[in-house]
Amino acid sequence: MILSTAPEARGRHMRKSCGEAGSASRRRLSVRLSRGLVGFSLHGFALLSASVLLACSLILCASAEAADSDTPAATAMLTPFADDPAFSSHGVPSEKAFPESGASKAMAARAADLPPLAPLPVLDAAPLDPATLKGRVVLVHFFATWCEPCREELPALTRLAADHPADIAVVAVDVAEVDVRVRRFFAEHPVPFPVALDRDRAFTRSWQVSGLPSTIVLDRALRPRLKAVGEVAWDAPAVRVRLGGLLSEPFPERPAASVAGKKTISGDLSQ
């Protein structure tokens, strides 16, 4: 009996040892696999993080280059009215004629539909007299102090008015704000041009302005010639060239020598 049970005991012992060895092997394999998966996950996460950081760096570099470049951030362009010869030569009013304008409805506006520039109350000054502006290219600029693009556009308008005071006049028209707010704003941000007050929006509506900022450019005879809806880069060469084109047009109330001078100034505006 003793002889018969010894092999069985040895077999059980061997099976138990093998089972324990197998379990230990499986545990070691599981630990290795877990470590491998964790390592792989960490490696993948590191690669993903590096990719994200690289993409962010590229975006930041591109933004910095754009900020440092001479390309103006403003995108609105000066475009002629629908009844202007420069517009009619392009055919039917549409975004295709002047794609940079981005607004076919505004493009279809006719200069003939706008009333003449009227006397307007001016902040802390005498009312605006349109007769004093005749002979200069006039920028009638509609804005509001709460409008962020309007505030960003003012420095470029200030530079333009300061560069050519004898040839370009800027009239800022504040739309539907109380005088005290406008006065407080310009006390902190003075400008070298009059700030007219359209308290009830009547003048703005009569000139078919529906967005801020907006600018309507009058030629030297005070006829509406160009318009822009949005912030304009007034320092941009293309914009200066368009304004110079209006300055170079003959004006009957000034002698020929003066008109020739305007052509020279046109070159200056394109610098």
Side-chain angles (χ1 to χ4, degrees):
M1 188 69 180
I2 294 174
L3 292 175
S4 63
T5 58
E8 294 178 0
R10 286 195 296 271
R12 288 195 298 272
H13 179 70
M14 291 177 64
R15 287 193 297 273
K16 181 178 180 182
S17 298
C18 291
E20 291 176 352
S23 298
S25 298
R26 287 193 294 273
R27 284 195 297 272
R28 286 194 297 272
L29 179 61
S30 177
V31 169
R32 289 176 182 175
L33 288 174
S34 298
R35 289 176 179 173
L37 289 174
V38 169
F40 178 78
S41 299
L42 291 175
H43 181 65
F45 179 76
L47 287 176
L48 179 61
S49 300
S51 300
V52 172
L53 289 174
L54 178 60
C56 292
S57 299
L58 291 174
I59 292 172
L60 289 174
C61 289
S63 300
E65 290 177 0
D68 294 336
S69 68
D70 295 331
T71 304
T75 56
M77 295 295 294
L78 293 171
T79 55
F81 283 85
D83 52 349
D84 190 284
F87 181 88
S88 60
S89 63
H90 287 265
V92 179
S94 69
E95 292 184 9
K96 294 181 180 179
F98 292 94
E100 69 271 22
S101 71
S104 58
K105 183 178 180 180
M107 291 284 297
R110 291 170 48 86
D113 296 335
L114 303 185
L117 182 62
L120 292 169
V122 174
L123 182 69
D124 298 333
L128 179 69
D129 182 5
T132 62
L133 303 173
K134 212 164 192 180
R136 290 184 286 173
V137 170
V138 181
L139 278 61
V140 184
H141 180 69
F142 297 85
F143 81 104
T145 62
W146 50 261
C147 167
E148 184 65 26
C150 301
R151 295 197 296 267
E152 293 176 353
E153 192 174 6
L154 282 177
L157 279 169
T158 298
R159 288 191 294 270
L160 179 63
D163 289 346
H164 304 280
D167 304 291
I168 294 179
V170 177
V171 177
V173 180
D174 181 84
V175 181
E177 292 190 281
V178 295
D179 295 14
V180 64
R181 179 170 183 170
V182 182
R183 184 176 294 106
R184 186 185 306 118
F185 176 83
F186 284 103
E188 298 177 1
H189 309 281
V191 292
F193 43 79
V195 178
L197 302 170
D198 186 21
R199 301 181 180 99
D200 58 359
R201 296 191 182 94
F203 179 70
T204 303
R205 284 194 296 264
S206 68
W207 276 40
Q208 304 178 23
V209 173
S210 58
L212 300 177
S214 289
T215 306
I216 294 178
V217 181
L218 313 180
D219 63 15
R220 295 189 294 152
L222 302 186
R223 296 170 300 196
R225 297 292 299 278
L226 301 170
K227 61 187 178 301
V229 180
E231 185 182 355
V232 177
W234 297 103
D235 295 322
V239 173
R240 297 290 183 108
V241 166
R242 286 211 169 181
L243 296 177
L246 294 181
L247 286 171
S248 66
E249 294 179 356
F251 184 59
E253 294 185 12
R254 290 194 177 185
S258 179
V259 174
K262 294 303 178 185
K263 294 180 180 179
T264 303
I265 292 172
S266 173
D268 293 339
L269 284 172
S270 63
Q271 294 298 320

